[in-house]
Amino acid sequence: MNMLRVSRKTIALFVLPCLLLYLLFVFMPIIVSMYYALMQWDGMTDAKFVGLHNFKVMFTLDPVFWPAVRRALLFSLFSMAEIPFALWIAILLSRRIRRPNFLISSYFLPVILSVVVVGQLWKSIYNPASYGGLLNKLLESVGLASWTHTWLAEPGLAMYAIFVVSLWQYLGYHIMIQFTGVQNIPHDIYEAAKIDGAEGFKADRYITFPLVAPVFKISMVLAIIGSLNAFDMIIVMTGGGPGNATDVISTLMYNKTFLSLEYGYGSALSVFLVAESLVATVLLNALFKRYENSAS
């Protein structure tokens, strides 16, 4: 095989544009947010240096902050619980369906829809029956009128209603990722295992999951980061309400920064969000590395 030899200067030249874009649009905003997190600023008057005061307020005085953190973490747990289910569907499609491409495309369809479209669609589904809400009408039609609710207006239910919508929209995304991983496993391995008496669940346990673990980890990381940074679906469906019942860190950051004009405090929230996502990614990578070491 002929190998193309490229000098390090050439490689650096091709990598440089992407590196500059990354520094400009990802790294620099983080640095700027860390700077303004130490300031008290309304976006118009001169910024005043207050040190760690914004973080003190955030951790000890803001009654909305810790509930928002808990909701974001709960969102992440729901999203992670979706990944094994997506893997199970991917395995079934790979084994039971001769031509699964149509089903994969069907499952993926909600992902390509605009979040605004999905949010408005499910808002109409969650409406009271008197306003044409499909879910409540369905419950009434099967004799479960006592189960009807104003789903997005009740503080105890609104966040779970949003969870359902998000899981529905992104299930196909994770199915596609897992299906790709399952399809890349050589079929000869299963044939050899079948001769030794390993098939079905046993084959999945000792062959499928270990080999698809890197792809599984990618789905988990994407689900956690996406959940911790959840914003658009919540803004479209509830705006963080009723009250602050569906506020997470990203929506709280938006409200504090652009509605209350507390740019310093909003920057402190953004710094916390970046740190939280980084810690979650590091912990998940460490967990999977430990699993890979124990399995090898």
Side-chain angles (χ1 to χ4, degrees):
M1 180 183 295
N2 295 326
M3 295 183 63
L4 181 63
R5 296 184 179 275
V6 182
S7 67
R8 292 183 178 180
K9 290 183 179 180
T10 304
I11 295 175
L13 184 63
F14 279 94
V15 171
L16 184 61
C18 294
L19 179 61
L20 291 176
L21 288 174
Y22 178 83
L23 292 175
L24 180 62
F25 292 106
V26 178
F27 191 71
M28 283 302 298
I30 294 175
I31 298 299
V32 172
S33 294
M34 293 175 66
Y35 170 76
Y36 282 113
L38 304 176
M39 302 290 177
Q40 184 178 357
W41 186 43
D42 60 5
M44 293 177 287
T45 59
D46 293 336
K48 177 184 177 182
F49 180 79
V50 293
L52 299 177
H53 175 74
N54 288 321
F55 292 97
K56 179 182 177 181
V57 172
M58 181 173 65
F59 289 125
T60 62
L61 300 177
D62 190 346
V64 182
F65 173 73
W66 287 113
V69 172
R70 286 194 293 269
R71 291 186 205 103
L73 293 176
L74 187 61
F75 206 161
S76 297
L77 290 176
F78 271 87
S79 298
M80 286 191 295
E82 181 181 39
I83 310 303
F85 182 64
L87 176 59
W88 177 66
I89 294 178
I91 293 172
L92 291 180
L93 289 173
S94 179
R95 291 183 181 171
R96 306 295 182 184
I97 307 299
R98 180 171 296 179
R99 295 181 179 178
N101 291 340
F102 174 76
L103 287 177
I104 293 293
S105 301
S106 301
Y107 295 149
F108 193 75
L109 183 61
V111 181
I112 65 177
L113 295 177
S114 167
V115 174
V116 176
V117 173
V118 172
Q120 292 297 333
L121 170 65
W122 278 88
K123 279 181 71 175
S124 65
I125 292 175
Y126 283 140
N127 275 339
S130 58
Y131 287 91
L134 179 62
L135 178 57
N136 285 327
K137 279 192 171 183
L138 181 62
L139 291 173
E140 289 180 353
S141 66
V142 295
L144 297 174
S146 61
W147 289 21
T148 61
H149 294 275
T150 50
W151 301 96
L152 297 178
E154 297 183 23
L157 293 175
M159 198 69 209
Y160 294 98
I162 295 175
F163 290 164
V164 170
V165 179
S166 181
L167 296 180
W168 170 82
Q169 184 177 19
Y170 290 103
L171 176 63
Y173 179 71
H174 295 294
I175 289 176
M176 186 187 68
I177 294 175
Q178 302 305 315
F179 181 78
T180 303
V182 172
Q183 287 289 94
N184 286 333
I185 299 175
H187 190 69
D188 296 344
I189 299 178
Y190 291 106
E191 293 294 334
K194 189 174 182 180
I195 295 174
D196 293 331
E199 56 182 331
F201 175 75
K202 187 178 291 186
D204 291 332
R205 179 182 176 184
Y206 293 105
I207 298 174
T208 305
F209 187 75
L211 293 179
V212 85
V215 179
F216 191 86
K217 181 181 73 173
I218 291 173
S219 277
M220 294 287 279
V221 171
L222 292 174
I224 290 176
I225 301 303
S227 301
L228 292 178
N229 291 276
F231 173 77
D232 42 9
M233 183 67 71
I234 296 173
I235 287 294
V236 170
M237 294 190 69
T238 63
N244 297 108
T246 57
D247 260 330
V248 292
I249 298 300
S250 56
T251 58
L252 182 61
M253 176 183 67
Y254 172 82
N255 291 332
K256 291 293 184 179
T257 304
F258 299 108
L259 300 184
S260 301
L261 297 181
E262 299 178 35
Y263 283 84
Y265 188 68
S267 297
L269 288 168
S270 69
V271 170
F272 175 84
L273 184 58
V274 170
E276 183 184 38
S277 300
L278 181 61
V279 169
T281 304
V282 170
L283 290 177
L284 190 62
N285 282 325
L287 182 64
F288 270 89
K289 187 175 181 179
R290 183 176 180 181
Y291 167 78
E292 291 169 1
N293 291 336
S294 63
S296 60

